[in-house]
């Protein structure tokens, strides 16, 4: 089953996206694309620390990716993990983090620990979440759960970890120890996506039941709001960095945008054609990019935020 986080914007003009067996960098200023990572060829890691799990990989089918802090991290359908610094040639680190038969890397996340160091978090079908140090790529921790983990996301302060997967319940755990602190009940099916509002108070979870639920971290006994999609599971959720808007994507055809200042009541629906490969707001909150993964209509769509009278914000 395809999880759809194959597109990341690192600025208003720089987008990274999957195209066949390549990760491409698209510059909307220059209107040109450049290959950043080719996974059809053997991948040989350049950084091999003592005791490191680094290994050569061949012909990886990428299942998910994330780009942040000059770091590109990709996961594969056979449990692969690939890390590349954008300002360096070659791949810094690659490995198979699990040898399970059903080993797909469902999600990767780049985040900061409470002390400020960069961490890579992987969610896998082998029911484990692994935490890697982005400095030396050592595995610092692994947390086991009772079901396949489809998605994780770390709170803005680096202390809490949302864990979702093949269960109707979503978990909130301590990001350092993996200890479960909260159990979110309300969804009816498996969950695939999550995101934290930048203020750290609201957690959004996306589910196969075609809804996104919003939870107030101060009281997890029930969700504070339920946002409905049209037809499909909510496969990707993103907040703007200023917290003003939230976007959620279905597997195909529909992306929904909500105004957080109006209690998520005001919104806009973007109706397009094709499978959605990912959504990403630019860090300055001015642009929304949508990847369309369709053999015929494959494309990258860019939507810009509208401003009325220079001070009133509007939807896209």
């Amino acid at each position: 089953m395809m999880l759809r986080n194959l597109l990341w914007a690192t600025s208003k003009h720089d987008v990274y996206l999957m195209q066949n067996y390549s990760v491409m960098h698209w510059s909307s200023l220059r209107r040109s694309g450049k290959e950043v990572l080719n996974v059809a060829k053997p991948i040989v890691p350049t950084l091999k620390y003592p005791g490191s799990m680094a290994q050569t990989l061949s012909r990886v089918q990428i299942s998910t990716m994330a780009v942040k802090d000059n770091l590109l991290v990709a996961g594969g359908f056979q449990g692969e993990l690939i890390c590349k610094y954008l300002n360096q040639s070659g791949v810094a680190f690659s490995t198979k983090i699990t040898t399970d038969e059903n080993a797909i890397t469902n999600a990767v996340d780049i985040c900061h620990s409470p002390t400020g160091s960069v961490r890579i978090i992987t969610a896998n079908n082998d029911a484990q979440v692994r935490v890697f140090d982005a400095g030396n790529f050592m595995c610092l921790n692994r947390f086991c759960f009772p079901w396949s983990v489809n998605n994780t996301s770390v709170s803005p302060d680096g202390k809490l970890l949302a864990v979702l997967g093949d269960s109707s319940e979503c978990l909130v755990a301590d990001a350092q120890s993996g200890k479960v602190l909260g159990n979110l009940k309300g969804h009816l099916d498996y969950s695939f996506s999550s995101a934290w509002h930048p203020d750290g108070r609201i957690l959004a979870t996306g589910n196969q039941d075609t809804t996104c639920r919003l939870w107030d971290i101060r009281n997890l006994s029930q969700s504070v709001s339920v946002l409905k999609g049209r037809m499909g599971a909510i496969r990707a959720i993103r907040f703007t960095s200023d917290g003003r808007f939230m976007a959620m994507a279905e597997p195909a055809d529909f992306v929904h945008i909500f105004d957080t200042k109006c209690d998520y009541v005001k919104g806009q629906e973007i109706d397009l054609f094709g499978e959605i490969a990912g959504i990403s707001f630019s860090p300055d909150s001015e642009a929304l990019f949508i990847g369309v993964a369709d053999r015929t209509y494959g494309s990258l769509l860019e939507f810009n935020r509208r401003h009325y009278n220079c001070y009133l914000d509007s939807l896209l």
Side-chain angles (χ1 to χ4, degrees):
M1 189 177 283
M2 281 290 288
L3 298 172
R4 303 176 195 277
N5 289 305
L6 296 171
L7 178 147
W8 286 79
T10 55
S11 84
K12 192 178 175 181
H13 307 293
D14 297 284
V15 187
Y16 293 84
L17 68 158
M18 277 302 301
Q19 194 175 351
N20 300 321
Y21 279 88
S22 294
V23 177
M24 302 292 293
H25 168 238
W26 170 258
S27 167
S28 56
L29 269 184
R30 292 195 297 272
R31 299 274 159 198
S32 65
K34 181 178 80 176
E35 185 178 80
V36 176
L37 175 65
N38 185 316
V39 289
K41 300 183 264 197
I43 296 162
V44 183
T46 55
L47 299 178
K48 293 185 179 173
Y49 295 94
S52 161
M53 299 161 54
Q55 60 190 110
T56 299
L57 303 175
S58 59
R59 201 166 175 82
V60 176
Q61 193 180 358
I62 289 182
S63 53
T64 186
M65 61 182 248
V67 186
K68 210 184 286 180
D69 297 334
N70 189 41
L71 186 61
L72 161 67
V73 178
F77 278 90
Q78 303 296 319
E80 299 96 341
L81 176 67
I82 302 162
C83 304
K84 176 186 167 64
Y85 290 109
L86 296 175
N87 61 355
Q88 294 177 9
S89 61
V91 166
F93 178 75
S94 61
T95 193
K96 264 198 172 186
I97 54 180
T98 173
T99 53
D100 263 38
E101 261 182 49
N102 189 9
I104 179 172
T105 303
N106 289 319
V108 290
D109 192 16
I110 302 166
C111 61
H112 289 89
S113 72
T115 59
S117 50
V118 181
R119 300 279 186 258
I120 297 161
I121 299 186
T122 65
N124 282 73
N125 250 25
D126 67 353
Q128 290 193 45
V129 170
R130 293 168 177 84
V131 183
F132 292 84
D133 184 314
N136 58 17
F137 302 106
M138 300 293 276
C139 186
L140 302 175
N141 244 325
R142 59 179 71 204
F143 310 135
C144 299
F145 295 93
W147 24 258
S148 294
V149 184
N150 294 329
N151 177 266
T152 63
S153 58
V154 176
S155 60
D157 63 7
K159 292 179 178 176
L160 299 175
L161 178 70
V163 183
L164 309 86
D166 289 1
S167 168
S168 60
E169 295 178 2
C170 305
L171 305 176
V172 173
D174 181 282
Q176 301 300 307
S177 67
K179 181 175 185 276
V180 174
L181 305 174
N183 201 326
L184 315 184
K185 297 181 179 181
H187 280 302
L188 306 174
D189 209 327
Y190 293 175
S191 292
F192 294 112
S193 54
S194 66
W196 295 82
H197 187 281
D199 69 9
R201 286 185 181 176
I202 295 292
L203 171 65
T205 56
N207 193 275
Q208 184 74 33
D209 64 12
T210 74
T211 71
C212 166
R213 283 180 179 260
L214 303 175
W215 312 84
D216 188 320
I217 207 67
R218 295 162 297 183
N219 177 11
L220 296 174
S221 58
Q222 61 180 26
S223 55
V224 292
S225 192
V226 183
L227 309 175
K228 285 276 298 166
R230 279 230 173 219
M231 299 162 65
I234 305 304
R235 287 303 182 104
I237 304 171
R238 296 281 182 269
F239 282 96
T240 51
S241 59
D242 62 5
R244 177 67 195 273
F245 299 108
M246 188 196 89
M248 66 184 200
E250 299 186 33
D253 302 347
F254 296 103
V255 174
H256 310 269
I257 299 146
F258 297 92
D259 188 334
T260 64
K261 279 216 177 121
C262 303
D263 281 337
Y264 302 82
V265 175
K266 266 174 70 176
Q268 178 182 348
E269 181 179 273
I270 297 175
D271 186 353
L272 48 98
F273 188 83
E275 305 254 321
I276 295 168
I279 56 172
S280 185
F281 285 110
S282 59
D284 63 4
S285 304
E286 289 295 318
L288 170 67
F289 295 93
I290 302 173
V292 181
D294 189 278
R295 288 215 169 139
T296 310
Y297 301 102
S299 55
L300 173 65
L301 308 178
E302 179 182 349
F303 296 84
N304 290 309
R305 183 163 166 180
R306 284 167 62 181
H307 296 268
Y308 289 110
N309 304 329
C310 299
Y311 63 90
L312 282 178
D313 281 320
S314 153
L315 289 176
L316 301 163

